[in-house]
Amino acid sequence: MHYDLIIAGVGGQGILSIATVIGRAAVHQGLHLKQSEVHGMAQRGGAVSSHFRLSDGTIFSDLIPLASSDLILSMEPMEALRYRPWLKPEGWLVTNSVPIPSIADYPDPVRLQAALAEMPHRIVVDAVGLARAEKSPRSVNMAVLGAASPCMPFPEAVWEEAIREQFSRKGAEVVEANIRVFQAGRNEALRSADTPKKT
Amino acid sequence: MHGISGRRLLLTDEAIAQAALDAGIGGAYAYPGTPSTEILEYIQQAPEARERGVHRLWSVNEKTALEEGLGHSYAGRRALVAMKHVGLNVAADPFVNAAITGVNGGLVLVVADDPSMHSSQNEQDSRFYAGFAGIPLLEPATQQEAYEMTRAAFDWSEQWKIPILIRIVTRLAHSRADVVTTPPIEPVRLELPQDPRQFVLLPANARRNYERLLDQQAVFQAHSEASPYNVRTGGRRRDRGVIAAGIAYNYLMEAFTDTGECPWPVLAIREYPLPAAAIARLAADVDSLLILEEGAPLIESRLRGLLPGGKPIHGRMDGTLPRSGELTPDGVSAALGLGRPKPAPVPTVVRPRPPMLCAGCPHADTYRFLKEFMADHPAGRVFADIGCYTLGALPPFEAISSCVDMGASITMAKGAADAGLTPAIAVIGDSTFTHSGLTGLLDAVMENTSMTVLILDNETTGMTGCQTSPATGRLERIIAGLGVDAAHLRVVIPLSKNHDKNLQVLREEAAYPGISVIISRRVCLQAVPKG
Ligand SMILES: Cc1ncc(C[n+]2csc(CCOP(=O)(O)OP(=O)(O)O)c2C)c(N)n1
Ligand code: SF4
């Protein structure tokens, strides 16, 4: 089993903590992983991404080859599209719908929607709204992870365990809030008709 | 993710740090720089470093870090020194000379290269430095190997009494994987050096030591030929042989993930000096060679030599692979002539999103009054430096004319002022100032050069994640100590409400026909000092 994903976003959006939760889930499942991270200058509000590779066998490259990623998981809609060359034809694109228009030439919403609509397998969720509805506005990344979770090769219980571990130091309330937001994202994705029913 | 021993998820930077702790170091010295920063950050926070009293320091620059490491080694303790690739330029003097003195306690230097210049001003290849100084170099391909090599490097360093260089690259440094660690040893404590001449590089001693270093080359060479890190694998085809150095091996094998075997013979190279005999054997067995190496075509250029003839060699120098930039699994597949599925293009709506200053960053307020001042002085120029404030080169500021190497703001402004450019303004961060700006400022003080230095003091090393800055709490005293006239050492607070006041201070100091310094001080918004 090999499973590759790219986690995308804008510096400061918490993509590293998404990666850490997936890492914990992978360890629970006894899988090998390689996870590349972006540090340094790009973290200052620039485009950031992490290549994440999971396997029950040897993983050679730290980078995912083009046209072979199973999933793009993005905190921002334009950033999701940036990594399209890595996505395999049957791969999934899962993204937060709320833009961060921090650049002068950010595309207008209609063109951006149209570009997203061209992606054959996509899940677009208002992760900001979902996190807010659960009164945990800082957990936007968990909503996106929840929305992507049905695409990934882990049973549901493993996710909860991984999130617990991740936030346990911050107290029971934070843990529960993040699990609720994750669930909200997951339910939203499962409602869309064509979601893969892998787990 | 610290622990005693066993299996854990570590960045390569962290695996190296953990290995150094497990190898019983007494000290760790570094100057931050992407992608090497996480090495010392890990050691700073490691419980066992605290328990074992490991001395750990963000040194003022890479030169001081390496010299401190050498002194630690002299005193019989093991030391780890870490820096980014351009840091080795700063530390080049102690680096080359430490090969001549040799070491006492194990001394391992880790240098992180940044091919493709993700966070750097060049993509120089540190492997050249190892050959230049005549010391062994290790180039791990995986996190696990980084751990094991670091542990071995300390033993070899003591055995051969020579510093060992470990070279990693961005993609490896910042990639996490599971690493199995082995039990730590007790901190190493050796006698002081027995030979009183070893570290005294008077010409007579240096000549003797240099002969010893030259004699050792054969030892390093033999070790490399037999090294478990330079291994021959691969299949039976003979139309080509592949030399894959460091992480290039991963990209090669990625193409054969299904079978786990490359159909052509492969010589993996992860220990230098180059295993010349192994390379010659491979070349004899095959019709042509493909050289895969991250960074510059070091191996390839050695094999090509200057004279024509011999078997065809392919690599970065004949266009089989791009001459610059990092390797990719796709680029290596193409070089092997293997087909890959065609990727979809990036949709045209996607725009570049470069990094930018944090909203409310003190540097933005400084650039606002600086930009207004420069608008009135079109013949003047701003010579800047490296740090978050380098983003002043991009819109909306577009306020700086140079960024070359750490400290060059002050010295370039001085050189330009000497040539008659006025007003000559230098912009430099507090950490960069102590790293390499002090000496240049002294040059300007010596000649009372007509220029103004703006020190953007955010009381931290912002760009690399807020490490302690040596200037914090002592900057005025340092500057006064260098001899800057107290009347022309001004401090301003970069806030929009102070804009007019700050602009006025800059006008006054720029008009002064001598060296003046303005400290623009407000703490970085991200500053949570990490040690
Ligand atoms: C020789 C060398 N060492 C390290 C670096 C990496 N680096 C660039 S700027 C910088 C420090 C920036 O700190 P400071 O000058 O205080 O500016 P700030 O980012 O806080 O604005 C570092 C560590 C480098 N480019 N060159
Ligand atoms: S990290 Fe600090 S210095 Fe750098 S842009 Fe942000 S606020 Fe400014």
Side-chain angles (χ1 to χ4, degrees), chain A residues 44, chain B residues 31-34 36-37 61-62 83-91 119-121 357 361 363 385-390 404-406 428-436 456-467 469-470 524:
Chain A
R44 304 262 163 273
Chain B
Y31 184 75
T34 314
S36 70
T37 310
N61 65 34
E62 293 86 353
M83 59 191 62
K84 71 181 293 174
H85 59 342
V86 287
L88 189 48
N89 299 335
V90 175
S119 307
S120 308
Q121 61 277 43
L357 296 175
C361 172
H363 299 334
D385 226 298
I386 311 189
C388 284
Y389 51 93
T390 311
V404 180
D405 65 85
M406 291 186 76
I428 186 167
D430 51 314
S431 182
T432 304
F433 177 67
T434 47
H435 179 288
S436 286
L456 309 196
D457 183 10
N458 58 4
E459 302 188 320
T460 191
T461 313
M463 195 170 94
T464 43
C466 297
Q467 295 76 25
S469 169
C524 163

Side-chain angles (χ1 to χ4, degrees), chain B residues 188-494:
Chain B
V188 171
R189 290 169 199 278
L190 304 179
E191 302 285 306
L192 292 180
Q194 299 302 302
D195 172 3
R197 296 193 298 166
Q198 182 188 346
F199 286 85
V200 184
L201 295 185
L202 282 167
N205 298 346
R207 278 183 219 113
R208 183 204 64 162
N209 287 8
Y210 187 50
E211 287 306 321
R212 172 181 170 272
L213 177 63
L214 293 177
D215 290 344
Q216 277 186 304
Q217 298 304 308
V219 176
F220 303 155
Q221 183 73 45
H223 194 272
S224 168
E225 298 286 0
S227 171
Y229 297 128
N230 295 335
V231 283
R232 171 99 171 248
T233 56
R236 292 164 188 279
R237 285 182 64 170
R238 288 293 177 261
D239 50 322
R240 137 200 305 161
V242 185
I243 293 177
I247 68 165
Y249 179 80
N250 302 348
Y251 299 141
L252 171 70
M253 293 309 295
E254 180 68 25
F256 309 107
T257 298
D258 293 344
T259 59
E261 196 181 330
C262 172
W264 296 283
V266 178
L267 178 60
I269 296 184
R270 295 168 206 164
E271 181 179 335
Y272 301 69
L274 286 175
I279 292 173
R281 279 196 301 273
L282 175 71
D285 288 348
V286 296
D287 302 336
S288 71
L289 285 172
L290 174 65
I291 319 293
L292 305 174
E293 51 191 323
E294 191 63 294
L298 175 145
I299 300 174
E300 189 181 344
S301 58
R302 290 274 307 272
L303 296 195
R304 283 181 190 283
L306 286 175
L307 303 176
K311 290 181 180 170
I313 294 173
H314 304 291
R316 287 182 181 273
M317 294 171 75
D318 71 342
T320 303
L321 286 153
R323 176 63 183 79
S324 68
E326 57 186 4
L327 298 174
T328 62
D330 299 282
V332 170
S333 272
L336 291 164
L338 302 176
R340 288 276 318 152
K342 201 169 164 324
V346 181
T348 51
V349 292
V350 177
R351 314 305 312 158
R353 193 192 297 263
M356 51 186 198
L357 296 175
C358 303
C361 172
H363 299 334
D365 288 293
T366 302
Y367 276 124
R368 277 186 207 108
F369 70 78
L370 176 60
K371 205 175 174 192
E372 190 170 332
F373 171 80
M374 294 309 293
D376 296 337
H377 298 85
R381 286 292 183 273
V382 176
F383 300 90
D385 226 298
I386 311 189
C388 284
Y389 51 93
T390 311
L391 296 172
L394 306 179
F397 304 111
E398 297 174 298
I400 66 175
S401 294
S402 76
C403 160
V404 180
D405 65 85
M406 291 186 76
S409 56
I410 295 179
T411 32
M412 282 184 68
K414 170 160 173 42
D418 294 344
L421 187 143
T422 184
I425 313 281
V427 165
I428 186 167
D430 51 314
S431 182
T432 304
F433 177 67
T434 47
H435 179 288
S436 286
L438 302 168
T439 43
L441 182 56
L442 192 54
D443 274 347
V445 166
M446 246 187 339
E447 296 196 305
N448 198 26
T449 306
S450 179
M451 58 183 272
T452 300
V453 178
L454 258 168
I455 302 181
L456 309 196
D457 183 10
N458 58 4
E459 302 188 320
T460 191
T461 313
M463 195 170 94
T464 43
C466 297
Q467 295 76 25
T468 43
S469 169
T472 304
R474 48 177 86 89
L475 187 52
E476 284 91 325
R477 277 179 292 147
I478 291 172
I479 295 165
L482 287 172
V484 172
D485 181 352
H488 297 284
L489 169 55
R490 314 277 296 266
V491 181
V492 304
I493 300 172

Side-chain angles (χ1 to χ4, degrees), chain A residues 85-171:
Chain A
W86 274 269
L87 197 60
K88 58 164 93 151
E90 65 278 24
W92 280 81
L93 180 145
V94 180
T95 184
N96 178 18
S97 62
V98 182
I100 300 192
S102 62
I103 45 172
D105 55 351
Y106 194 87
D108 74 64
V110 178
R111 287 189 60 219
L112 185 57
Q113 285 315 317
L116 282 171
E118 275 179 31
M119 302 299 302
H121 311 293
R122 67 180 181 282
I123 300 171
V124 183
V125 294
D126 174 3
V128 175
L130 290 173
R132 234 185 248 138
E134 297 297 335
K135 303 203 169 35
S136 188
R138 292 165 64 97
S139 308
V140 178
N141 54 0
M142 288 302 114
V144 183
L145 179 59
S149 64
C151 306
M152 282 188 266
F154 302 122
E156 192 167 351
V158 167
W159 287 114
E160 193 172 316
E161 195 54 38
I163 297 171
R164 264 182 213 292
E165 275 176 28
Q166 173 89 346
F167 296 102
S168 62
R169 273 185 312 155
K170 297 186 177 165

Side-chain angles (χ1 to χ4, degrees), chain A residues 32-37 39 41 44 46-47 53 60-62 65-66 76 79 81-82 85 100 102-103 105, chain B residues 38 143 174-178 250-251 253-254 330 340 343-344 346-347 349 351-353 355-356 388 391 462:
Chain A
H32 296 290
L33 64 85
K34 277 194 176 177
Q35 179 218 331
S36 76
E37 299 177 1
H39 293 248
M41 192 130 186
R44 304 262 163 273
R53 315 198 71 189
F60 288 105
S61 170
D62 297 88
L66 293 169
E76 207 274 351
E79 293 308 322
L81 294 169
R82 189 184 302 283
I100 300 192
S102 62
I103 45 172
D105 55 351
Chain B
E38 292 74 15
Q143 293 76 356
H174 285 165
S175 177
R176 199 178 286 283
D178 32 347
N250 302 348
Y251 299 141
M253 293 309 295
E254 180 68 25
D330 299 282
R340 288 276 318 152
V346 181
V349 292
R351 314 305 312 158
R353 193 192 297 263
M356 51 186 198
C388 284
L391 296 172

